Amino acid sequence: MIKVNTEDYPWQPGMTVRSLLDERLFTFRHIIVRVNGEYVPEEHFDKSAIHDEDDVIVLHLMAGG
Amino acid sequence: MKVLTHKQELCTGCLDCEVACSQAYFKTNDPNYSAIRIIENNRTYRARKCTQCGECINMCTANAIYRDRNGVVRIDKKKCVGCLGCVGFCSELVMFYADDLDVPFKCIACNICTKACPTGALEVLVSQVKEF
Amino acid sequence: MGAILKQYSYTPEKIIRGYSGKSLYINVSDLRIEEKELTDFMKEKFIGGKGFDLWYLWNAVTPETRWNSPENEIVMSVGPLGGITQYSGTGKTLIASISPLTGIPIDSNAGGYFGPLLKFSGWDAFELQGKSDKDIIIFIDGNNGLIQIEEGEEYPEDTHLLAEELTSRFAVDENDMVNVSVVCSGSAAKHGYMGMLNFSFYDPRRKLCRFKQAARGGLGTILRDKKVKALVVKYKGITPNLNNAADISTINKVGVKYHKEMHDLDSKQNKMRQIGTANTVMIMSQYDLLPTRNFQTGGDPETIKISPQVFINEWLTQGLHDGCWYGCTMSCAKCADHFLLTSGPYAGERVTVDGPEYECVAGLGANLGIFDPQAILEENFYCDTYGIDLISFATCTAFIMECYQRGQITQEQMGGLDLRFGNKDAVLELLHQMSRGEGFGKLAGLGTRKLKKIFVEEFGADPALLEDIGMEVKGLEYSEYAHKESLAQQGGFAMATKGPQHDEAWLIFMDMVNKQIPTFEDKANALYYFPMFRTWFGLVGLCKLPWNDIVPSDNHKTSEPAKVPEHVQNYVDIFNAVTGQNIDNDELILQSERVYQFQRVFSVRMGKGERKDDYAPYRSLGPVSREEYLSRQELYDKQLRDLQGLEPESMNLDEKIAKLRAYREDQYEQLMDAVYRRRGWTMNGIPTPERLKEIGMDLPMLLEVIEPKL
């Protein structure tokens, strides 16, 4: 089990930042991803593995109206 | 279209061009008032000056930038409001400003620096494109 | 040109550190024109912009004043930063009045050149009071120091014609057109309560007038009720430091830095320069947040037809400067050129449509079940030229459509209009009726709150259902964000002082997606900070979009990226550079809070500033209908299970809806308690004397209002 934005979420082997974003339908481009407190740049989304028990934050910087 | 060009192989970095430009337009020797900036890198010298690309024309927030009949990009001082948008937008970083000036300034291919240059490194070229 | 009724000469004051030191007062009952001095008290407590507007308005009205009383004022002001040319978004005018929809103060903001030109003409603020007996035009010539009031009967009503005529009339030649700005409304503003104000600026490339709107609250209705057809200001000679800033060097440096940021990053971020605020439409739909069919759901697969890319590729002219004041490189006021109108009095003409903004695509599109870009643009055009607030129109029409869908009103009762979701022709016809003041359009223009009453009393509709689905608070319609699952945004809307406009707080993603504000205290802190911060823009003359619709490339490294700290610092630096003061982030919030609390007490004074006025229709809090519950069944069943310890499998649908409702309404009550505490209010929503004293606003006039309510 991992945490995504403080909530429990099921983990699978082979999960990457990219696959998690796709699964969660986090299509918004302007996001900040931190795994266990470490910032992950966009270029590394495909390669960055997410491990079981990881704490993932996906901050959407949505300006809104 | 007229545009100022610079040959690195002839440039000695004497900066006479900067002095001539800032003197002519702003009566000072201060390179911050020159529309040509010589950048040194390991004893070779590049010149930063307007390429007359015209990227600033459509983005000008006061519709104050235009091409004259020589294709040179000019600022209409009567329309410019000093927003400095062109300074921030210039991809070549060759639109300059100073706090005591109302309007930014740039190279207008006037030939003052080419005449001041002792080695012939600077030349205003006239290209064939004439449709403006 | 009509007869000149009055002329007044004055000496335009130079602007020093952002202020001229004078405000203008015009009474159109007796054509009295006066000059008032700005006081140190005003500058200290109210700063400018909305602050000045509310101060003057308070002193003009009594608790008995109604929107159409002669003593009601339309007050407008820019603020000390208004009119600087070097930073983006520095041309906002703030306007306040007692609203026809709510009966309490409304404040609204608009871009366009009017406010800065007004200030440079020598006026920090402008009060318009009284009522004329015939249509008039008021002209302010800031170069010659002349104010002229003339008859205006013969000018057209609709903005796109009226503003062109007036701009041409007062400009001496083509180059002079940019020096003229017009404030006006449109034909619909004579008939309904949702009339808005258009603020013009001349586009020298397109050679026509463009318009921004002070849309919310019915300001255009008030203008036309006063029989003022238009305000015109002219000032020639914009230079980089007309505000006589203390430190032009800092302003220049920060400006250039921001322009470069726009150049380098906008196309990778929100594409404001290409599409403007409508860039969020697809995202909102993908995250189930696009208000669809009267806020019933959060999106629709057909949204792809009205996506930003469709507008960029097929409708909006690209590559030209589209800022609504000099120096705005965010340049987000996009428009559709040579747009062919297919309905109404201007059918067959090609026009420039200012938009669509996000609210237009969401409101006039998805929320009405219309997924047709041509229809959206045509609705946008007619709302603009008729002087109709398209947010109120969209949310009110969505309400009408749902009432019709649910059999609460009949087509016959709507005069034959088949106003079902998706019927763009009926929507356009409704707009034309509002312009003519005929048919069902005459009723529709009165707004959701009035319609609820009429539908119940005259058409026999179900009052409880209408209360649930009529999206208004305090009489003002909600703006276009689906927020059923965001408790924080529910509070952000319903507890906003003027009514449910999102300019106080926009917390949907922070709350629902990022989960950054899980507890009541977290939400209350957000509902304290963001309204306070956003209020500040309205005090100084700034547009909020450049604050966070683009962020620096290293913003993600900061501790609070949602606040965009570098941009906040830009604002602090620019404020100090213009005014010569030395504020910091805390002082900025304090400046805002003074005006924020003042506005709340003002609303109490006018009868709608207490807990009872801060409740939301249930459609805002949760699923009203079975279809709504079923559309998010998994989520709702899970909540019943996890949060309430219930067993949804053993409950029928109506039971589940009722239990969820009870839970959510209780959650909202608890949120109110937490927010009121954080804002320094009593549990009845009244600002306390202690809080007012803390922020230096324990003024006798305020204490007098709150003391009996404590």
Side-chain angles (χ1 to χ4, degrees), chain C residues 51-212:
Chain C
F52 287 176
D53 293 343
L54 291 171
W55 168 252
Y56 279 129
L57 186 63
W58 179 300
N59 287 300
V61 306
T62 74
E64 285 69 48
T65 300
R66 298 171 53 86
W67 69 272
N68 54 355
S69 307
E71 72 272 16
N72 187 21
E73 291 191 347
I74 296 177
V75 196
M76 38 182 91
S77 172
V78 194
L81 305 192
I84 70 172
T85 60
Q86 293 86 344
Y87 201 80
S88 286
T90 54
K92 284 284 190 179
T93 314
L94 274 296
I95 310 97
S97 190
I98 303 296
S99 161
L101 290 170
T102 63
I104 61 174
I106 185 76
D107 64 278
S108 191
N109 74 65
Y113 286 16
F114 191 89
L117 298 187
L118 176 73
K119 177 159 81 162
F120 298 144
S121 297
W123 307 113
D124 285 326
F126 171 26
E127 295 172 81
L128 182 67
Q129 195 176 44
K131 300 220 283 194
S132 171
D133 56 4
K134 52 177 176 254
D135 274 348
I136 55 175
I137 311 277
I138 299 175
F139 172 54
I140 299 165
D141 181 339
N143 295 109
N144 295 314
L146 172 71
I147 296 167
Q148 184 168 290
I149 302 179
E150 51 183 71
E151 279 178 356
E153 300 286 344
E154 26 179 286
Y155 285 96
E157 283 285 343
D158 288 340
T159 285
H160 77 290
L161 300 174
L162 175 57
E164 287 287 348
E165 241 185 87
L166 288 170
T167 306
S168 300
R169 150 101 198 276
F170 288 105
V172 306
D173 57 26
E174 172 67 26
N175 284 338
D176 201 26
M177 300 282 273
V178 293
N179 300 319
V180 179
S181 178
V182 178
V183 173
C184 61
S185 191
S187 47
K190 292 196 306 248
H191 308 300
Y193 292 163
M194 45 178 82
M196 56 73 163
L197 294 178
N198 283 300
F199 277 57
S200 80
F201 61 103
Y202 187 72
D203 183 332
R205 290 175 172 93
R206 293 179 173 87
K207 299 198 191 317
L208 43 76
C209 290
R210 304 276 311 277
F211 304 100
K212 299 294 285 183

Side-chain angles (χ1 to χ4, degrees), chain A residues 4-8 21 24-34 39-42 56-65, chain C residues 267-271 280 283-284 286-287 359 481 502 506 509 513-516 534 544-545 548-549 551 555-558 561-562:
Chain A
V4 181
N5 288 353
T6 75
E7 294 182 332
D8 285 338
L21 294 177
R24 286 296 301 262
L25 302 176
F26 283 166
T27 52
F28 187 51
R29 284 182 55 193
H30 209 39
I31 51 176
I32 298 174
V33 176
R34 291 199 184 107
Y39 169 71
V40 181
E42 200 181 330
V56 184
I57 299 284
V58 184
L59 264 192
H60 290 64
L61 271 216
M62 181 66 165
Chain C
S267 57
K268 299 182 197 145
Q269 293 183 19
N270 287 350
K271 300 189 180 8
T280 53
I283 295 295
M284 294 295 284
Q286 281 157 3
Y287 283 78
E359 306 285 341
Y481 300 93
H502 58 283
W506 202 93
F509 266 68
V513 183
N514 298 345
K515 312 266 184 237
Q516 289 173 280
R534 294 176 69 131
K544 92 88 193 159
L545 301 179
N548 67 356
D549 271 277
V551 301
N555 189 57
H556 59 274
K557 296 187 183 146
T558 64

Side-chain angles (χ1 to χ4, degrees), chain C residues 481-513:
Chain C
Y481 300 93
H483 55 280
K484 225 176 283 182
E485 318 307 335
S486 168
L487 179 59
Q489 191 59 35
Q490 291 158 15
F493 272 132
M495 285 186 254
T497 307
K498 64 166 85 54
Q501 171 67 351
H502 58 283
D503 66 340
E504 280 205 16
W506 202 93
L507 302 171
I508 302 177
F509 266 68
M510 237 184 136
D511 187 18
M512 286 176 56
V513 183

Side-chain angles (χ1 to χ4, degrees), chain B residues 24-35:
Chain B
Y25 289 101
F26 300 110
K27 313 274 183 288
T28 172
N29 283 348
D30 183 349
N32 288 314
Y33 289 80
S34 165

Side-chain angles (χ1 to χ4, degrees), chain C residues 630-645:
Chain C
L630 291 171
S631 74
R632 289 181 184 166
Q633 179 166 4
E634 218 181 285
L635 173 73
Y636 294 144
D637 282 353
K638 186 172 191 298
Q639 287 185 351
L640 288 177
R641 215 176 288 119
D642 296 349
L643 302 172
Q644 295 183 257

